[in-house]
Amino acid sequence: MSSSSYYLGPRRPRLQLSTWADVTIAASAGVLDENQWVELKQAVPPSSRAANLELAKDLASLSVDGGLLIIGIEDAAGSAGQVVGTALDGLQSRIAQVAAGRIAPPLPVTIDVIQKPDDPPLGVVVVTAPASEGAPHMVDSQYWGRSAHGKRVLSDDEVRRVLLDRQARTAGFAERVRALPGRLDPPQLGDRGRLYILLEPGAASKEPLADLLAGKQLLQLAASGLRFDPQWGPSFRSLTYVVPHPDGIAAASVSTDAAEGAGHEYFFGLLGDDGSLYVSAPGVRPYGHKADAPEVLSPGQLLETVHAAVALAAHIADEYVGYQGPWRIGVLVTKLRGIVASQAHSAYGFQRFLPFPSEEYFAVAHATTREMADGTPAVVERVAKNLLRGLGVDGRFFPYREPADLIQRGG
């Protein structure tokens, strides 16, 4: 059985659970005691309106900040007691039905089961409720949240604050993406087209991310969070220059003082305090990196950069923030009119690749943290396929599974 990793609150290490022994050890060590992010139940009563409403309230209360409902452990006045297991038959489908049908709006949850070795019909059920973009969620005409002592009804003022924060984060996303060139690039960068990426979580980190990262820089995060070595440069592995920034942790591939005339070598990343990831990367470049060569866009490099950004944002959210909810993903490529794919100047022949017809490319997509982590290529395709179609190379590059495929496809 593969190990799953669970978020238990800020400044606490993620919990790895794969076996019954893991659960027993964690419970006895006090790791699974109830708090703002953990709700314990020994069992869920037989299906009834009252029992299903109580289950719905438990799940809805966890949706504001994200958290776990763990079934199969005795609740000893808020402390984790003996790990006894619960009857598994039909429980997963019941939880899914309650999350979808008894909570407004419906709450997507993830359900993991750890069976009892000597009694497989029993097990521990771990339900992950993500920090939800739809929070607060209503059950039985009331909105639910949590405190250190468990679930509670939210006051009108608390509901208003959560809704206003959600509306502020949703509104104006397209405008924030289009504003990235002025926000991220130094004035002396040059006038070639560039790639801009914004990954924005539906719910902001409850603590400034810089505090949760405890001094880690983007280069360190990329080294641990990316499961591949970038084949094109500059990239996240080139972020050697730390750049002071009021909004979070920033770094660049070259000094901002040296950016003039080196636009195709300038790569900039900003990890916002709210968990957002901003990227400014090379887009249009001279073919073969020669100053007087025709300008092209390398599809392989673009896809690899977007892939790395999506995977890195998911890693940080999963490892440090515990956010499993929805994301907005925006991609902007500027100054594209008349630009061709790099394949147009290779052995493939110019006739197959017409110049891009528009001045810019802009796309927005949505995904969850788990989709971004486990299905990164599919998420990348959502935001980049139409760009590659406009360059006449979408059939060459999609679908793909790993960034290494891009080299093999003539990236």
Side-chain angles (χ1 to χ4, degrees), residues 169-248:
R169 294 186 64 76
T170 302
F173 180 71
E175 289 74 14
R176 291 194 289 278
V177 177
R178 293 189 183 279
L180 291 180
R183 180 177 183 182
L184 303 183
D185 293 343
Q188 72 274 29
L189 189 57
D191 59 359
R192 284 198 176 99
R194 292 184 62 80
L195 164 66
Y196 301 93
I197 308 167
L198 173 56
L199 294 115
E200 190 175 271
S205 173
K206 297 303 178 182
E207 290 191 44
L209 196 50
D211 294 343
L212 295 177
L213 293 173
K216 291 183 176 64
Q217 298 298 327
L218 270 171
L219 184 61
Q220 295 170 277
L221 295 167
S224 62
L226 298 182
R227 297 191 293 259
F228 66 94
D229 291 321
Q231 302 299 306
W232 285 270
S235 71
F236 282 99
R237 298 287 176 84
S238 307
L239 295 175
T240 54
Y241 287 85
V242 175
V243 178
H245 202 283
D247 297 330

Side-chain angles (χ1 to χ4, degrees), residues 23-40:
V23 180
T24 302
I25 292 170
S28 63
V31 174
L32 299 180
D33 291 352
E34 282 193 339
N35 58 28
Q36 188 170 342
W37 294 272
V38 179
E39 176 80 17
L40 296 177

Side-chain angles (χ1 to χ4, degrees), residues 28-389:
S28 63
V31 174
L32 299 180
D33 291 352
E34 282 193 339
N35 58 28
Q36 188 170 342
W37 294 272
V38 179
E39 176 80 17
L40 296 177
K41 281 188 177 299
Q42 180 173 335
V44 177
S47 185
S48 66
R49 185 180 187 278
N52 288 345
L53 281 177
E54 189 68 16
L55 177 59
K57 292 173 186 177
D58 289 330
L59 294 173
S61 73
L62 292 163
S63 69
V64 177
D65 296 317
L68 304 177
L69 169 62
I70 306 176
I71 307 170
I73 301 177
E74 291 179 344
D75 180 359
S79 298
Q82 185 178 358
V83 181
V84 294
T86 188
L88 299 176
D89 186 33
L91 185 55
Q92 292 185 70
S93 60
R94 181 181 171 193
I95 293 169
Q97 289 169 5
V98 167
R102 293 299 184 99
I103 300 173
L107 178 66
V109 297
T110 302
I111 304 171
D112 296 315
V113 173
I114 300 174
Q115 291 180 299
K116 191 172 184 179
D118 57 355
D119 194 357
L122 298 181
V124 170
V125 178
V126 183
V127 186
T128 302
S132 171
E133 193 171 23
H137 288 255
M138 180 179 284
V139 177
D140 203 22
S141 301
Q142 293 179 307
Y143 290 103
W144 293 85
R146 292 187 70 78
S147 69
H149 305 291
K151 64 179 178 290
R152 63 184 180 87
V153 176
L154 296 177
S155 69
D156 290 344
D157 285 343
E158 289 173 314
V159 172
R160 194 174 297 113
R161 284 197 297 271
V162 174
L163 291 175
L164 287 173
D165 178 69
R166 187 180 77 189
Q167 291 167 1
R169 294 186 64 76
T170 302
F173 180 71
E175 289 74 14
R176 291 194 289 278
V177 177
R178 293 189 183 279
L180 291 180
R183 180 177 183 182
L184 303 183
D185 293 343
Q188 72 274 29
L189 189 57
D191 59 359
R192 284 198 176 99
R194 292 184 62 80
L195 164 66
Y196 301 93
I197 308 167
L198 173 56
L199 294 115
E200 190 175 271
S205 173
K206 297 303 178 182
E207 290 191 44
L209 196 50
D211 294 343
L212 295 177
L213 293 173
K216 291 183 176 64
Q217 298 298 327
L218 270 171
L219 184 61
Q220 295 170 277
L221 295 167
S224 62
L226 298 182
R227 297 191 293 259
F228 66 94
D229 291 321
Q231 302 299 306
W232 285 270
S235 71
F236 282 99
R237 298 287 176 84
S238 307
L239 295 175
T240 54
Y241 287 85
V242 175
V243 178
H245 202 283
D247 297 330
I249 300 170
S253 59
V254 298
S255 167
T256 53
D257 295 335
E260 186 173 7
H264 60 283
E265 297 300 331
Y266 184 72
F267 190 106
F268 178 83
L270 167 64
L271 185 58
D273 280 334
D274 66 346
S276 297
L277 180 62
Y278 304 78
V279 178
S280 170
V284 176
R285 306 178 68 163
Y287 183 71
H289 305 285
K290 297 179 181 179
D292 58 349
E295 293 189 339
V296 299
L297 185 144
S298 167
Q301 181 174 19
L302 181 139
L303 293 176
E304 183 184 82
T305 301
V306 177
H307 188 118
V310 170
L312 181 58
H315 168 74
I316 294 169
D318 190 50
E319 188 69 23
Y320 297 97
V321 184
Y323 178 72
Q324 296 294 321
W327 291 73
R328 291 173 290 273
I329 305 166
V331 169
L332 172 69
V333 186
T334 61
K335 300 177 182 176
L336 275 176
R337 187 183 296 275
I339 298 299
V340 295
S342 55
Q343 288 78 15
H345 295 281
S346 67
Y348 300 108
F350 178 82
Q351 292 80 1
R352 298 178 59 188
F353 308 100
L354 296 177
F356 198 80
S358 304
E359 181 64 18
E360 69 174 26
Y361 174 80
F362 175 77
V364 172
H366 298 81
T368 64
T369 302
R370 179 159 289 195
E371 287 178 301
M372 289 162 55
D374 297 340
T376 314
V379 176
V380 173
E381 183 168 349
R382 288 181 214 165
V383 290
K385 186 170 185 177
N386 288 349
L387 171 60
L388 269 62
R389 184 175 68 183

